[in-house]
Amino acid sequence: MKKALLTASLLAAGIVTAHAQSSVTLYGRLDGGIEYVNGLKNGHRVQAQSGDWGTSLWGMKGAEDLGGGTQAIFKLESGFLIQNGTVGGVAGSLFNRYALVGLTNPVYGTFQMGRSLFISNGVWDFDPFVQENWSSASLVRGRNWPQVSNSFNYQSPSFAGLDFSGQYALSNSTNFNGNNNAGTPGAVSTTGRAAGAQITYTSSFIQVRGIYDEIRDGNGQFSNLFAFSREYTVGVNLTFGPVKVQAAYQHLNANAVTDGSPTSADHEWLGATYQFTPAAALTVGGYHVNLNKGGGNATLYEMTGTYNLSKRTFLYITGATVQNSSTANFSLFAEPPDNSAAFNTNNATAIANSQNPFPGHSQSGVFAGIDHSF
């Protein structure tokens, strides 16, 4: 009898131990509210919105202990629109944001393969408006927040505050999509190779990051400034008690443009967040872009207030305006230009539904809502 009890106890302990060595976590975020925008080609609009502050998403991630500090890991994540329940991103994609499997070790770092956010999304940490729908992606028409398929990703451990990451995506991808944070289709449908690297230094007072990334077209060329181009980024965060100051500079270059469109752009921003109380914060800032070859320039001014109802739920309100020079028509949204392949110049309906203002015109808006994470 004692032997049987001992055996049962050992089996139970083994089951518990095995369970403790692996884990699966379900997580997500729900974001929705209401939005008003004027300066559209067809006037103004009021509509329910999903994901203006951040993508509504759900996902699963897990780890299995392989011994010696090494774990097998996976991550599956999909964005969706809470207003109608549809999946955002590439048609037919169940996991349009992440579908990764790999290995991690505290000494050697993390290696993963599959579909992922592109490395240019690393600007998120330096964007005062945390890549809201109107933010660092707006004046580069979504160039810095796409996803890539067929990618190989490496993240190093931190050494004295320094860490490195790299990404390479093979050219057999036909599902690259320049989606914005809310899942709206961007200007790109196919791509060649995509690659990038970033290095970051972090301390209690300052964080600095440098990023180089490139996206090639199906012919291996940099043929579109906001779709197939090189991008150089440097960003800095400074923390002074309840105040956080964030700034960045980006340079975009596409040397194989043949249709007379701009071949380079300089994009910079500056913003600050003041945490009045543990619950309430206010962020103010602005973005500016300047294009060559008569592409003009634009400036986006923005303000966001947030109020935490709990650790996982908060209310927000954002107001912004974008001012265009006479030849520019940038939108609050990460909208491709009206003459891009995404619009098809023979499709009058697509152009009429564009969220871009007329060249030289401004666009303003406000959105408010609630965000809950689980």
Side-chain angles (χ1 to χ4, degrees):
M1 182 66 178
K2 290 183 179 179
K3 185 176 181 181
L5 288 173
L6 177 61
T7 302
S9 298
L10 290 173
L11 286 173
I15 292 171
V16 171
T17 301
H19 178 74
Q21 290 175 342
S22 62
S23 65
V24 175
T25 301
L26 176 67
Y27 66 92
R29 180 171 66 195
L30 301 172
D31 182 278
I34 190 166
E35 170 191 285
Y36 168 81
V37 179
N38 66 28
L40 300 166
K41 284 187 171 69
N42 58 355
H44 66 275
R45 72 173 183 225
V46 178
Q47 66 175 22
Q49 61 87 2
S50 174
D52 268 0
W53 190 90
T55 308
S56 293
L57 57 88
W58 73 278
M60 295 177 288
K61 58 184 178 181
E64 180 190 12
D65 190 358
L66 301 179
T70 300
Q71 293 181 316
I73 56 174
F74 76 89
K75 183 175 183 178
L76 302 171
E77 185 177 295
S78 181
F80 61 94
L81 304 177
I82 68 166
Q83 305 300 344
N84 54 22
T86 58
V87 175
V90 180
S93 295
L94 176 59
F95 299 108
N96 52 54
R97 290 171 58 85
Y98 290 101
L100 293 170
V101 65
L103 298 171
T104 186
N105 181 285
V107 175
Y108 302 109
T110 300
F111 175 76
Q112 298 180 91
M113 300 178 290
R115 182 167 175 83
S116 176
L117 297 186
F118 189 46
I119 197 169
S120 61
N121 283 266
V123 302
W124 186 95
D125 298 311
F126 299 85
D127 185 347
F129 296 94
V130 292
Q131 286 198 310
E132 293 180 44
N133 207 15
W134 308 337
S135 61
S136 60
S138 299
L139 301 187
V140 290
R141 304 194 187 277
R143 170 60 176 79
N144 57 19
W145 66 9
Q147 303 98 36
V148 287
S149 297
N150 310 311
S151 70
F152 299 86
N153 309 272
Y154 173 75
Q155 174 64 57
S156 78
S158 178
F159 303 98
L162 283 171
D163 68 86
F164 167 83
S165 62
Q167 183 181 70
Y168 185 83
L170 296 176
S171 58
N172 58 320
S173 169
T174 57
N175 287 328
F176 175 94
N177 189 285
N179 283 1
N180 74 9
N181 208 20
T184 303
V188 186
S189 59
T190 61
T191 186
R193 301 188 306 276
Q198 74 175 30
I199 186 168
T200 307
Y201 173 75
T202 303
S203 73
S204 59
F205 167 68
I206 187 171
Q207 184 179 43
V208 181
R209 175 171 294 165
I211 307 173
Y212 168 78
D213 65 84
E214 61 178 45
I215 304 171
R216 298 174 183 267
D217 65 19
N219 297 315
Q221 302 296 313
F222 302 113
S223 59
N224 184 300
L225 186 61
F226 299 118
F228 308 117
S229 59
R230 291 187 172 103
E231 184 177 59
Y232 307 82
T233 303
V234 60
V236 61
N237 294 331
L238 301 173
T239 303
F240 308 90
V243 178
K244 186 175 185 179
V245 178
Q246 298 177 273
Y249 167 76
Q250 292 186 310
H251 177 74
L252 284 71
N253 181 268
N255 59 13
V257 174
T258 59
D259 61 359
S261 299
T263 60
S264 72
D266 294 295
H267 181 218
E268 55 274 337
W269 64 80
L270 174 66
T273 299
Y274 184 78
Q275 194 75 42
F276 291 95
T277 71
L282 179 69
T283 301
V284 295
Y287 307 82
H288 180 77
V289 69
N290 189 66
L291 281 66
N292 69 348
K293 293 194 173 182
N297 62 83
T299 304
L300 190 160
Y301 303 97
E302 190 164 355
M303 179 182 294
T304 290
T306 59
Y307 186 82
N308 297 326
L309 301 176
S310 70
K311 291 183 178 180
R312 296 186 293 139
T313 304
F314 65 91
L315 305 175
Y316 60 83
I317 182 168
T318 292
T321 183
V322 59
Q323 309 290 324
N324 284 292
S325 67
S326 60
T327 58
N329 73 330
F330 286 92
S331 170
L332 294 171
F333 304 90
E335 189 79 354
D338 294 349
N339 61 355
S340 74
F343 281 89
N344 181 355
T345 54
N346 295 320
N347 189 338
T349 301
I351 295 177
N353 291 336
S354 165
Q355 297 182 112
N356 289 310
F358 288 107
H361 287 233
S362 63
Q363 186 177 90
S364 300
V366 61
F367 60 77
I370 184 171
D371 188 288
H372 173 75
S373 298
F374 63 88

